[in-house]
Amino acid sequence: MLLPLADLLLSPDDMAAVDRAAAASAISSYGLMEKAGQAVAASALRHFPGALRYVVLCGPGNNGGDGYVAARALEQSGAEVGLFHLGDPKKLKGDAARAFADCPVVGETTAHYLPRPGDIVIDAIFGAGLSRHVPDEVAAIISKVSQAGLPVIAVDLPSGLDGRSGQVLGAAFRAVRTVTFMTRKPGHLLMPGRDLCGILEVFDIGIPARIVRAQANGMTAENTPAQWQADLPVADTDTHKYKRGHLVVFSGGASATGAARMAAMAGLKAGAGLVTIASPEQALAVNAGLLTAIMLHAVDDETALRAWLADQRLSTFVLGPGFGAGEKARQFVLALGQRHLVLDADGITSFRDDPQPLFDAFADGPTRLVLTPHEGEFARLFPDIAADNRLGKVEKARAAAARAHAAIVYKGADSVIAAPDGRALINANAPSWLATAGSGDVLAGVIGGLLAQGTPAFEAAAAAVWLHGVAGQRAGKGLTAEDLVAHVTPF
Ligand SMILES: NC(=O)C1=CN([C@@H]2O[C@H](COP(=O)(O)OP(=O)(O)OC[C@H]3O[C@@H](n4cnc5c(N)ncnc54)[C@H](O)[C@@H]3O)[C@@H](O)[C@H]2O)[C@H](O)CC1
Ligand SMILES: [K+]
């Protein structure tokens, strides 16, 4: 499927390839820089019309080039402009050298910049080409500007922010607005990058969509309905409950049953035809007292589970919420055979010392396993991937998905959903108050509910994360997990 251009996320390397491909097809690279710089100047004038001075800080590459174009455009508008270079502008190359030559404003070195009240700072020091920690000189300017409390408009990326991973390389500007070009980068959505960008504006500088798409490969995008809408269950008129799937949620012992009930309710609300809680005998009474639409089945050990599994209609399982980590969880998971499974929380932790049997059990055929780790659980299951500092959150989730033959939901304010084939989505609709006790149980249930209805694993995971975010928005601040369940609705 052709994803909307606006959802695609290109890494800085992809974007550099786009620039090269554009140049190879006779598009003027200086023309692109001109449009980029003009867009920055227009944004500054529109959003900060009362500035006493626009201060443009220019770095040694093409990000600086955009800055020189912006400085010229601002000067030509009649505004007061201050221009400061990092290093010697005579050493600039290519388009940036040309933009400097075309800029009528006389600049001086960044070390001489003295912040004044009324300054609007345009950060054109580093953009997509930042390759290592910022030099001390830049860290010093960043801290000077932040201490002065001046508004910053970042060109492409706040300097110091890694556009691939969203991580800060030493120090970074905190911008009120960021003006980027053609598509966003993962670092604009991943944390802490998302916070450092402020309001994001994406300008079309005229690179044809086919060139952008050719480099993007459609592999990384924002999680939006366009990515999975077509894979959601369709409510046909002659449907009956067995056609809409049978979801089973395993309950913990008598003192830990609430999590499973929340997951089960969420699965039902996401549209599963039938939902059963598989409960230990000792917890049957407490579960029975608190359930209505959800069925109950006693399962105490692996033998009982295997006997029950003769019923082929039991298609999808959720294990983890409140279950307790340990050998019983491992046995249950490995008994499931060809079923679909959402493995969450304690279920994940149960495989911390020896995850390979889990990965092997779900290796064949279409993806049947969804893993929903937060950062700590991720590190338990994939310690080497978690510790690899060269990888950003997207690359980590992708590597884990390939190894585990699973759809991964690497949870956080910037949850990343990844598939074994390399597709990855970054979610950005979750309100901060969604991080509350039991929220993860609800998410696991929604994923299970969609899986039970036949939605493929990656799409079910991505849709569930998005629906969970929507439920959080609807439930509002101060929500509890119960409120969240009440606000889950199918798409
Ligand atoms: N298609 C587009 O989006 C366009 C984007 N444009 C702008 O171009 C920059 C990317 O330019 P590039 O020259 O590749 O990179 P930078 O300007 O970000 O920086 C490269 C420059 O900086 C040096 N460098 C990198 N890291 C460090 C460091 N830690 N310390 C010191 N020096 C460092 C590196 O060696 C280079 O000299 C993009 O962001 C847009 O703003 C085009 O103008 C239009 C098309
Ligand atoms: K910048």
Side-chain angles (χ1 to χ4, degrees):
M1 193 189 63
L2 208 55
L3 297 174
L5 204 59
D7 291 350
L8 288 180
L9 301 170
L10 268 73
S11 72
D13 288 347
D14 295 339
M15 201 36 111
V18 167
D19 284 349
R20 287 193 297 275
S25 71
I27 292 168
S28 153
S29 58
Y30 190 63
L32 298 178
M33 183 176 281
E34 178 70 24
K35 286 189 193 132
Q38 293 282 353
V40 171
S43 176
L45 290 168
R46 187 174 337 114
H47 296 291
F48 297 94
L52 297 182
R53 179 171 71 151
Y54 296 96
V55 170
V56 188
L57 307 175
C58 292
N62 287 334
N63 196 250
D66 297 349
Y68 290 113
V69 173
R72 163 164 45 90
L74 288 164
E75 169 92 356
Q76 286 167 351
S77 79
E80 172 81 17
V81 180
L83 181 65
F84 297 88
H85 332 272
L86 184 76
D88 181 358
K90 293 195 196 68
K91 291 191 183 153
L92 292 167
K93 295 195 185 70
D95 293 327
R98 186 169 160 193
F100 171 67
D102 286 348
C103 180
V105 188
V106 178
E108 52 188 320
T109 166
T110 44
H112 291 165
Y113 171 50
L114 292 177
R116 301 201 299 240
D119 278 355
I120 299 297
V121 174
I122 296 177
D123 156 31
I125 299 181
F126 298 121
L130 181 72
S131 54
R132 52 197 184 276
H133 276 219
V134 298
D136 292 347
E137 198 183 349
V138 172
I141 305 165
I142 291 171
S143 105
K144 202 192 290 184
V145 168
S146 117
Q147 275 170 19
L150 298 173
V152 175
I153 301 177
V155 180
D156 198 13
L157 288 158
S159 297
L161 176 61
D162 181 349
R164 185 178 56 91
S165 69
Q167 296 295 309
V168 171
L169 297 178
F173 280 109
R174 176 176 289 277
V176 285
R177 309 188 76 87
T178 294
V179 181
T180 189
F181 314 112
M182 299 310 299
T183 68
R184 294 165 301 169
K185 300 177 177 63
H188 289 129
L189 288 188
L190 292 170
M191 300 300 249
R194 194 194 300 169
D195 276 349
L196 296 176
C197 289
I199 295 169
L200 203 57
E201 295 178 61
V202 187
F203 270 92
D204 184 337
I205 54 173
I207 303 175
R210 68 183 154 75
I211 293 182
V212 178
R213 284 188 188 286
Q215 302 305 328
N217 302 319
M219 294 306 257
T220 313
E222 180 175 355
N223 185 28
T224 63
Q227 323 289 334
W228 36 258
Q229 211 168 346
D231 296 291
L232 290 184
V234 195
D236 56 47
T237 39
D238 71 340
T239 193
H240 62 72
K241 59 191 180 187
Y242 287 106
K243 269 170 83 179
R244 287 171 47 214
H246 192 155
L247 173 67
V248 176
V249 180
F250 288 101
S251 165
S255 62
T257 59
R261 281 196 303 278
M262 271 188 303
M265 266 315 291
L268 195 61
K269 294 211 65 175
L274 294 166
V275 182
T276 296
I277 286 189
S279 166
E281 288 278 358
Q282 46 134 292
L284 276 178
V286 53
N287 271 321
L290 292 163
L291 291 175
T292 41
I294 290 166
M295 300 177 295
L296 204 51
H297 186 90
V299 177
D300 261 315
D301 54 28
E302 194 189 335
T303 312
L305 175 60
R306 286 187 186 275
W308 190 38
L309 286 172
D311 181 348
Q312 292 299 327
R313 289 175 302 188
L314 308 173
S315 63
T316 306
F317 294 76
V318 173
L319 190 146
F323 194 79
E327 192 49 37
K328 182 175 167 190
R330 289 179 65 95
Q331 285 174 356
F332 276 29
V333 165
L334 298 178
L336 292 177
Q338 294 298 306
R339 288 359 200 259
H340 286 78
L341 172 66
V342 182
L343 192 64
D344 182 43
D346 294 343
I348 294 176
T349 303
S350 301
F351 286 89
R352 68 183 304 168
D353 295 321
D354 180 22
Q356 199 56 44
L358 168 68
F359 304 159
D360 292 344
F362 289 86
D364 61 315
T367 308
R368 288 179 288 116
L369 176 63
V370 180
L371 297 170
T372 53
H374 57 52
E375 195 177 354
E377 289 156 357
F378 188 94
R380 282 174 212 147
L381 218 47
F382 308 101
D384 53 327
I385 298 174
D388 189 339
N389 292 329
R390 292 164 308 174
L391 305 178
K393 189 167 180 176
V394 170
E395 293 84 27
K396 286 181 182 182
R398 199 173 256 151
R403 179 184 296 173
H405 314 288
I408 303 278
V409 179
Y410 189 167
K411 293 191 289 200
D414 52 358
S415 291
V416 173
I417 307 99
D421 64 12
R423 286 174 293 162
L425 300 172
I426 303 174
N427 194 67
N429 79 343
S432 58
W433 54 87
L434 198 54
T436 181
S439 180
D441 306 328
V442 177
L443 174 65
V446 177
I447 302 172
L450 295 177
L451 277 175
Q453 295 170 82
T455 304
F458 173 69
E459 285 79 4
V465 170
W466 194 86
L467 292 171
H468 187 242
V470 170
Q473 291 167 11
R474 288 188 186 141
K477 279 187 188 163
L479 64 81
T480 65
E482 280 96 338
D483 303 330
L484 195 57
V485 175
H487 283 88
V488 170
T489 49
F491 189 72

